[in-house]
Amino acid sequence: DVKVTQSSRYLVKRTGEKVFLECVQDMDHENMFWYRQDPGLGLRLIYFSYDVKMKEKGDIPEGYSVSREKKERFSLILESASTNQTSMYLCASSPPGGIPYNEQFFGPGTRLTVL
Amino acid sequence: KQEVTQIPAALSVPEGENLVLNCSFTDSAIYNLQWFRQDPGKGLTSLLLIQSSQREQTSGRLNASLDKSSGRSTLYIAASQPGDSATYLCAAYYGQNFVFGPGTRLSVLP
């Protein structure tokens, strides 16, 4: 079974702190994604990566950056955390894009609170 | 713009009922459609994946159908149980990006 793990289930940070959220997958997937989920707004794509050192902006990249130095690991970085970044963050991975049998696998999520 | 909607937003049924959840997508050029389950405070668990060339997929008490021409997918849950209580999301895959619906929150009452 595909396993996607995230470094923390719950995280509390202060405004202005630099925050790192880590995601690791064990299925050699090329594609990795970071979403945030908020009540009433659903899942929104922040960034995705289709290969090592490659990244693409999603729908809401402002205030975030990402890093993909190894195929299995995709990091989300909040350079200076703000209260409006309090949210549930979900990481996902999938095989290469364009393949009809593509399927997305999610991690357990990180509930981030910024005070 | 590619959008996915789900109706109803919330549903409450007594145990044992059969039920249908609906998912609609505006752009019919999908590669596949995936149904997920999400328990409160948790990540998403994949339930079923329907390829664009398929009409339906089944897994246990779950059956998902896909009608690309009308831009609709349905998730049918047979003989519902309290353990089915969760939020159900659908996601359309367009070859590079996934577009998610807002979800249907299901409560199955014992």
Side-chain angles (χ1 to χ4, degrees):
Chain A
D1 282 351
V2 175
K3 191 167 184 182
V4 180
T5 58
Q6 295 183 228
S7 51
S8 305
R9 291 285 283 120
Y10 300 95
L11 209 52
V12 180
K13 295 293 182 181
R14 298 212 172 270
T15 302
E17 279 194 74
K18 190 168 186 176
V19 181
F20 292 87
L21 302 183
E22 303 283 338
C23 176
V24 178
Q25 50 93 6
D26 66 358
M27 276 301 288
D28 203 36
H29 283 169
E30 277 76 4
N31 296 337
M32 296 188 75
F33 307 81
W34 274 107
Y35 296 90
R36 64 176 283 177
Q37 185 178 32
D38 302 286
L41 297 175
L43 268 82
R44 293 180 291 169
L45 182 64
I46 305 171
Y47 267 97
F48 67 97
S49 168
Y50 52 87
D51 204 348
V52 176
K53 296 192 185 297
M54 305 301 287
K55 61 184 179 184
E56 293 284 342
K57 293 180 179 179
D59 300 320
I60 51 164
E62 296 79 19
Y64 303 94
S65 62
V66 291
S67 173
R68 185 121 181 248
E69 296 297 318
K70 293 185 177 181
K71 191 175 186 180
E72 67 271 18
R73 188 180 297 270
F74 192 34
S75 302
L76 180 70
I77 303 157
L78 286 67
E79 295 290 343
S80 178
S82 63
T83 55
N84 62 14
Q85 292 179 309
T86 292
S87 186
M88 170 70 101
Y89 289 88
L90 293 164
C91 174
S93 73
S94 72
I99 294 177
Y101 298 94
N102 208 320
E103 186 174 1
Q104 207 169 181
F105 299 88
F106 279 81
T110 295
R111 171 73 66 184
L112 173 67
T113 301
V114 182
L115 302 177
Chain B
K1 184 183 176 185
Q2 297 162 337
E3 291 184 343
V4 176
T5 55
Q6 291 186 247
I7 295 173
L11 184 62
S12 185
V13 300
E15 182 177 5
E17 269 202 16
N18 302 325
L19 57 99
V20 174
L21 307 181
N22 296 291
C23 171
S24 298
F25 43 94
T26 56
D27 184 348
S28 62
I30 63 172
Y31 279 67
N32 63 46
L33 190 129
Q34 194 170 358
W35 282 93
F36 295 89
R37 168 188 173 133
Q38 186 177 30
D39 294 292
K42 302 286 181 62
L44 277 66
T45 301
S46 180
L47 297 174
L48 288 165
L49 177 75
I50 315 176
Q51 305 303 329
S52 61
S53 59
Q54 296 176 319
R55 288 289 212 151
E56 63 179 63
Q57 279 284 349
T58 298
S59 176
R61 294 182 295 107
L62 305 180
N63 176 277
S65 68
L66 177 64
D67 184 344
K68 277 184 61 177
S69 60
S70 66
R72 292 175 60 183
S73 176
T74 61
L75 179 67
Y76 175 83
I77 302 177
S80 59
Q81 303 170 357
D84 295 330
S85 298
T87 296
Y88 292 80
L89 295 95
C90 64
Y93 175 57
Y94 288 100
Q96 183 75 311
N97 61 311
F98 293 84
V99 181
F100 284 81
T104 293
R105 189 171 66 254
L106 173 65
S107 296
V108 182
L109 307 174

